[in-house]
Amino acid sequence: ILLLPAVARLLQPRRRLLLSDGLAGTLALAMVAAAGYAAGPQSAFSAVAEARDFVGAYFVARAFVLEPSAVQQFIRLIKAFTAIAICVALVDVLTGHWIVREIMATLMPQPEAFVDDGTSGADGVRAGLRRAISTCDHPILYGVFCSLTAAIVLFSATNSIKRLSWACLCVFGGLLSLSSAAVMG
């Protein structure tokens, strides 16, 4: 939704284009070309969506995040969302149910063909515990979110105690996903 306004804002005369803008666009084109070359035109269509997500996020950030205060506001919001997500993940593990997913399933019922209770595959339970997903679609996504957030808060806090406590909270959240991707991150 914000991609077109972001590009329009970047093309205004008072804004300068950077080398990284061209590199981001070139990388997006290379993503599509590589997928098309390696696996055929059908995979290039899905690569377009991935490339659009990548380049869209880049241009939206370039267009609308102009000052350190905007970055600090983003960090405050991500800290609040992370605390909420980790609390929900803890409830997922303690109850053995994906709480948010189950609530959303009751609010917006899906046809039987699309219903996944999470118990049929190996992704739902590991080491006898329900893998946390919090508000994400999969435990790996939730775990990677926690590891990326740990990197953001680790390098954003000015106080060492706050830095360490936020990073430890994110590591704990990542461990709740029981995902090796989160641990590696």
Side-chain angles (χ1 to χ4, degrees):
I1 293 173
L2 293 175
L3 179 58
L4 293 178
V7 171
R9 191 172 196 176
L10 288 173
L11 292 176
Q12 291 178 349
R14 60 186 167 93
R15 297 293 300 264
R16 286 188 342 202
L17 291 177
L18 302 176
L19 176 63
S20 59
D21 297 339
L23 292 175
T26 303
L27 179 60
L29 291 174
M31 290 168 64
V32 175
Y37 177 76
Q42 288 182 323
S43 67
F45 291 123
S46 64
V48 167
E50 294 293 329
R52 186 194 65 226
D53 286 348
F54 164 72
V55 83
Y58 171 80
F59 283 127
V60 167
R62 268 273 288 127
F64 298 114
V65 180
L66 301 174
E67 304 170 346
S69 63
V71 174
Q72 290 303 320
Q73 181 180 5
F74 167 75
I75 290 169
R76 281 192 302 275
L77 288 172
I78 203 160
K79 283 180 179 179
F81 179 75
T82 301
I84 293 166
I86 291 172
C87 289
V88 171
L90 186 59
V91 171
D92 285 352
V93 173
L94 292 176
T95 64
H97 296 278
W98 289 331
I99 300 299
V100 171
R101 181 177 280 185
E102 291 177 10
I103 290 170
M104 296 309 292
T106 59
L107 295 175
M108 296 180 279
Q110 298 291 316
E112 285 298 318
F114 297 107
V115 175
D116 176 23
D117 61 4
T119 60
S120 59
D123 288 334
V125 176
R126 189 173 280 175
L129 295 171
R130 170 66 75 184
R131 296 176 69 190
I133 64 169
S134 188
T135 58
C136 297
D137 288 335
H138 195 277
I140 294 173
L141 296 175
Y142 167 68
V144 169
F145 165 77
C146 287
S147 64
L148 293 174
T149 302
I152 291 171
V153 297
L154 190 61
F155 292 104
S156 66
T158 55
N159 181 338
S160 297
I161 301 293
K162 287 181 182 179
R163 180 182 304 168
L164 184 62
S165 44
W166 274 105
C168 287
L169 182 66
C170 291
V171 168
F172 172 70
L175 292 174
L176 291 175
S177 72
L178 299 175
S179 167
S180 60
V183 174
M184 287 189 301

